C-alpha cells in the first residue's frame, strides 16, 4: 500500500461545551475524543500523523504526548481548508493524505480501510441523512458523478434538498491536495477557506472523485455539545453491549452496562445491571458480576461470583471465589482459588492463598496470607506507622479471632490461633494459641452516675 499521512483537525473551540477543557479532551467511554481518533489512525499504520490544534489548546499535545504524532497549531482558525494547510509543510509528497476530525470519535478502521481500497483520485466519505441540515451537500451531475460540495449556507434551495452529505472525512493524493489547498479562496458566506472546495478543483482537473459510505452511521457523528456527547456515549455503550451479547454473555439489561476499555468474557458469564468495566478486564467462564460493581484493570478467573456493589481495581482474583457484597479489592491484590472476601472487607497490595476467608469488616493491607486462613470479623492489619508501610505475614491454617489488630511487621506462625480482641505486636509461634487481652473483671456494687437535677 502507498504511504499514508493522517491529518486530524482539532482546532475548534468547542464553545457549546461550556468548559475550560478543549473539546477534544472530553471523554467518551472513558477516553478523550481525540484519543479514539488517534488510536484508529495508528491502526492504519500511517507514515505520519499530524494533529492540528487551536490557540489555547496546549492541553491537547500535552495530554496526547504518548503518541508519535506531530502537533501543529492553527492560529487564527480560518476554516477547514486553512487547518489542513497548517499540516502540509510537515507531510511528504508521496502517497495519500487522510483527513480526520478530533471531534468525530467513533470512526472505525474498517470504513477508513475501505476508503483506502478505492484506488486513485479523491475519496469522500459521505452519508445519506433523512435530515441533512447543517451539513455540506454532495452535488452530482446527471450521470451521478460528484461535481462539488456545497456548504449549507452557500446552497441554493434545490441543493438543500439533497440528502447525501459530506462527513468531512476524505482521502486525497498528497501532492494534488497540496496544489488544491494553495488555490483556496475565502469568497463564501462564512469568509472561510473551505476544505470542501478542493472537490470542484479535482473535477475541473479531471481527477476521479469517489465516495464511500461508513459501515454504521454513528461512525461519523461529531460532538459539539454535552448532549451530543451523552447521546453518542449511549450509542457506543449499546454497540459494546451487543458485542457482548453476540458472544454469549448474559446481560440483565443491555442498556445498563458501561464498558470504558476492553472487556473480555469467557462462556456463560452473567452481568447484572449498573456495572462499570474500566481499562482491561477479563472475566473467566461462569463468572457472575452483581449489580453496581466497578471493575478496573483486573482479571477474574472462572466460576467466581462477585456480589453487588463490589469495587475491584488492578487485582487478580482466582477461580471459584466469593467476593462481596460491598467488597473492595485495591491495586496489588492477588487472590488464590476459592477465597471468600465478604462485606466491608478492604484488601490492598496483598496475596491471599487458596481457601482463605475474610468475611466481615476487615482491612488486609501489605500482607501475605497463606491457605485455609480464617480472618475473623473486624481484623485489621496495622501496616502504617505514620511514616513507613510494613508487611504482615499470616501463614497457612491460621485462625484469627474477631477484632484483632496485627501490628506490622509481624508474622503469625503456621497453624496458630489468635484469641479475639488481641493486639499482636510480636511474631506468634505456630500451632499455639496467642492472645493479648486484659482479664475480665466485675466491679461489685458499681453504679452509673445519676443525672444532676
Ligand atoms: C464541515 C464541512 C461540511 C461537513 C461538516 C461535517 C467544510 C467547509 N465543511 O462543516 O461540508 O458537512 O463539516 O461535520 O469543511 N476546524 C479546525 N480549524 C478551523 C475550522 C474547523 O480545526 O479553522 C475543525 C473543527 O474543530 C471541527 C472540524 O474542523 O472538528 C469541522 O469544522 P466545522 O466548523 O464544524 O465545519 P462545519 O461548518 O460543520
Ligand atoms: Mg461542524
Amino acid at each position: 500500500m502507498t504511504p499514508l499521512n493522517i491529518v486530524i483537525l482539532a482546532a475548534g473551540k468547542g464553545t457549546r461545551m461550556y468548559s475550560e477543557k478543549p473539546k477534544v479532551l472530553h471523554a467518551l467511554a472513558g477516553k478523550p475524543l481525540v484519543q479514539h481518533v488517534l488510536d484508529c489512525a495508528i491502526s492504519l499504520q500511517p507514515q505520519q500523523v499530524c494533529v492540528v490544534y487551536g490557540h489555547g489548546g496546549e492541553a491537547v499535545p500535552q495530554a496526547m504526548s504518548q503518541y508519535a504524532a506531530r502537533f501543529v497549531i492553527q492560529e487564527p482558525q480560518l476554516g477547514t481548508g486553512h487547518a489542513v494547510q497548517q499540516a502540509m509543510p510537515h507531510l511528504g509528497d508521496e502517497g495519500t493524505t487522510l483527513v480526520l476530525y478530533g471531534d468525530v470519535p467513533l470512526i472505525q478502521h474498517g470504513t477508513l480501510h475501505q476508503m483506502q481500497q478505492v484506488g486513485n483520485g479523491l475519496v469522500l466519505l459521505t452519508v445519506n441523512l433523512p435530515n441533512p441540515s447543517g451539513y455540506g451537500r454532495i452535488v452530482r451531475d446527471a450521470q451521478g458523478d460528484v461535481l462539488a460540495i456545497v456548504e449549507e449556507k452557500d446552497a441554493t434551495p434545490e441543493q438543500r434538498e439533497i440528502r447525501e452529505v459530506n462527513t468531512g472525512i476524505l482521502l486525497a493524493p498528497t501532492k494534488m491536495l497540496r496544489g488544491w489547498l494553495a488555490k483556496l479562496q475565502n469568497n463564501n458566506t462564512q469568509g472561510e477557506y473551505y476544505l470542501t472546495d478542493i472537490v470542484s478543483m479535482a473535477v475541473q482537473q479531471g481527477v476521479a472523485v469517489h465516495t464511500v459510505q461508513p459501515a454504521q452511521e454513528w461512525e461519523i457523528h461529531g460532538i459539539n455539545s454535552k448532549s451530543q456527547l451523552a447521546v453518542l456515549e449511549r450509542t457506543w455503550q449499546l454497540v459494546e453491549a451487543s458485542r457482548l451479547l453476540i458472544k454469549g454473555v448474559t446481560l440483565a439489561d443491555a442498556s445498563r452496562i458501561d464498558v470504558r476499555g476492553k472487556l473480555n468474557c469467557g462462556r456463560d458469564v452473567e452481568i447484572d445491571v449498573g456495572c462499570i468495566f474500566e481499562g482491561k478486564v477479563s472475566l473467566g467462564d461462569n463468572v457472575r458480576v452483581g449489580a453496581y460493581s466497578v471493575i478496573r484493570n483486573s482479571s477474574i478467573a472462572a466460576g467466581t461470583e462477585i456480589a453487588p456493589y463490589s469495587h475491584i481495581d488492578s487485582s487478580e482474583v482466582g477461580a471459584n471465589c466469593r467476593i462481596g457484597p460491598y467488597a473492595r479489592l485495591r491495586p496489588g491484590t492477588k487472590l488464590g482459588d476459592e477465597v471468600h472476601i465478604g462485606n466491608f472487607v478492604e484488601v490492598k497490595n496483598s496475596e491471599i492463598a487458596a481457601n482463605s476467608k475474610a468475611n466481615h469488616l476487615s482491612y488486609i493491607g501489605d500482607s501475605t496470607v497463606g491457605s485455609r486462613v480464617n480472618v475473623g470479623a473486624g481484623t485489621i492489619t496495622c501496616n502504617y506507622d505514620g511514616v513507613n508501610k510494613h508487611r504482615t505475614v499470616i501463614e497457612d491454617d491460621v485462625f484469627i479471632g474477631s477484632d484483632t489488630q496485627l501490628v506490622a511487621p509481624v508474622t503469625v506462625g503456621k497453624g496458630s490461633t489468635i484469641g479475639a480482641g488481641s493486639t499482636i505486636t510480636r511474631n506468634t509461634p505456630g500451632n499455639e494459641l496467642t492472645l493479648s487481652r486484659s482479664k475480665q473483671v466485675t466491679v461489685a456494687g458499681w453504679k452509673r452516675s445519676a443525672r444532676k437535677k
Side-chain angles (χ1 to χ4, degrees), residues 11-320:
K13 273 206 198 73
T15 320
R16 281 187 281 153
M17 298 296 273
Y18 297 101
S19 166
E20 295 302 315
K21 202 157 53 172
K23 174 165 75 173
V24 296
L25 292 186
H26 288 265
L28 184 140
K31 190 161 90 171
L33 301 177
V34 69
Q35 199 173 337
H36 285 269
V37 183
L38 275 161
D39 286 341
C40 182
I42 299 297
S43 77
L44 295 166
Q45 299 180 305
Q47 178 177 267
Q48 172 83 267
V49 178
C50 195
V51 180
V52 180
Y53 69 101
H55 179 69
E58 290 303 333
V60 175
Q62 277 162 23
M64 297 298 124
S65 59
Q66 72 271 36
Y67 288 91
R70 185 183 277 275
F71 292 86
V72 182
I73 192 161
Q74 183 200 16
E75 169 63 11
Q77 288 142 40
L78 303 177
T80 49
H82 178 254
V84 179
Q85 273 171 358
Q86 310 311 304
M88 294 317 288
H90 308 287
L91 307 180
D93 258 346
E94 339 69 82
T96 55
T97 295
L98 174 66
V99 179
L100 300 175
Y101 298 82
D103 59 359
V104 181
L106 296 183
I107 187 68
Q108 300 293 297
H109 175 101
T111 294
L112 299 177
H113 185 69
Q114 208 194 323
M115 290 175 73
Q116 283 186 288
Q117 298 303 101
V118 168
N120 293 323
L122 181 58
V123 186
L124 308 174
L125 187 68
T126 73
V127 69
N128 287 292
L129 296 179
N131 173 13
S133 72
Y135 288 91
R137 309 295 204 278
I138 307 295
V139 181
R140 293 178 184 267
D141 65 15
Q143 282 74 52
D145 292 330
V146 174
L147 287 179
I149 297 176
V150 179
E151 290 307 292
E152 178 163 270
K153 286 177 180 153
D154 303 295
T156 64
E158 297 76 51
Q159 288 170 334
R160 285 186 194 190
E161 293 299 309
I162 299 170
R163 301 259 185 271
E164 188 186 8
V165 304
N166 174 33
T167 66
I169 293 170
L170 60 80
L171 180 70
T174 307
K175 214 182 220 161
M176 290 181 182
L177 180 64
R178 199 187 297 286
W180 297 328
L181 289 172
K183 286 190 279 180
L184 287 181
Q185 305 277 312
N186 65 348
N187 50 354
N188 49 54
T189 315
Q190 303 187 82
E192 288 183 4
Y193 295 91
Y194 289 166
L195 175 62
T196 45
D197 285 349
I198 69 169
V199 176
S200 51
M201 294 182 191
V203 171
Q204 269 163 34
Q205 287 176 21
V207 175
V209 181
H210 309 278
T211 58
V212 165
Q213 272 71 47
Q216 295 96 358
E217 195 197 292
W218 46 257
E219 292 185 38
I220 58 90
H221 287 171
I223 302 297
N224 295 300
S225 65
K226 286 288 172 78
S227 34
Q228 287 173 339
L229 180 59
V231 169
L232 201 57
E233 174 79 37
R234 286 306 103 204
T235 304
W236 180 246
Q237 292 304 340
L238 281 176
V239 170
E240 290 279 26
S242 56
R243 268 187 209 157
L244 294 168
L245 292 169
I246 286 165
K247 286 189 187 152
V249 176
T250 300
L251 300 179
D253 183 347
S255 67
R256 282 188 287 169
I257 175 174
D258 283 76
V259 180
R260 301 171 187 160
K262 202 157 171 26
L263 173 60
N264 269 310
C265 293
R267 292 175 83 86
D268 297 302
V269 166
E270 294 180 22
I271 300 172
D272 210 335
V273 301
C275 294
I276 300 176
F277 299 91
E278 297 181 340
K280 260 189 155 174
V281 175
S282 75
L283 306 178
D285 295 347
N286 298 300
V287 165
R288 286 191 288 161
V289 183
Y292 303 102
S293 293
V294 180
I295 306 182
R296 177 192 298 140
N297 292 323
S298 296
S299 66
I300 317 290
T304 286
E305 182 179 354
I306 316 280
Y309 299 98
S310 295
H311 288 203
I312 301 178
D313 185 0
S314 307
S315 297
E316 284 172 39
V317 177
N320 301 311

